[in-house]
């Protein structure tokens, strides 16, 4: 069984694949996760700029 690493690079690669196949909303969500997993603030900003738009995340309300 292969291990799943779920690194920022994994999410970024998936985001690019979703963008390439016409799924911009999913691409943005994956990019946001990639940015969250990046410790460098400048790199996180660059990732989000590559996938423009507002956050599509839904926060759980109490």
């Amino acid at each position: 069984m292969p291990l799943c690493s779920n690194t920022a690079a994994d999410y970024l690669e998936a985001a690019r694949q979703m963008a390439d196949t016409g799924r911009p909303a999913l691409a943005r969500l994956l990019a946001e996760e990639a940015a969250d997993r990046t410790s460098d603030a400048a790199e996180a900003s660059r990732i989000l700029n590559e996938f423009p738009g507002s956050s599509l995340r839904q926060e759980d309300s109490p």
Side-chain angles (χ1 to χ4, degrees):
M1 180 180 229
L3 295 175
C4 185
S5 59
N6 295 327
T7 65
D10 294 329
Y11 282 97
L12 187 53
E13 180 182 346
R16 289 181 176 134
Q17 289 174 356
M18 293 302 103
D20 289 346
T21 58
R23 297 179 178 110
L26 185 52
R28 176 63 190 200
L29 288 170
L30 289 163
E32 290 175 8
E33 188 62 33
D36 286 350
R37 291 170 183 259
T38 302
S39 59
D40 181 353
E43 179 64 10
S45 180
R46 187 200 63 75
I47 289 169
L48 293 176
N49 286 336
E50 185 178 341
F51 301 89
S54 307
S55 176
L56 300 170
R57 293 180 175 177
Q58 295 180 356
E59 301 296 327
D60 291 333
S61 56

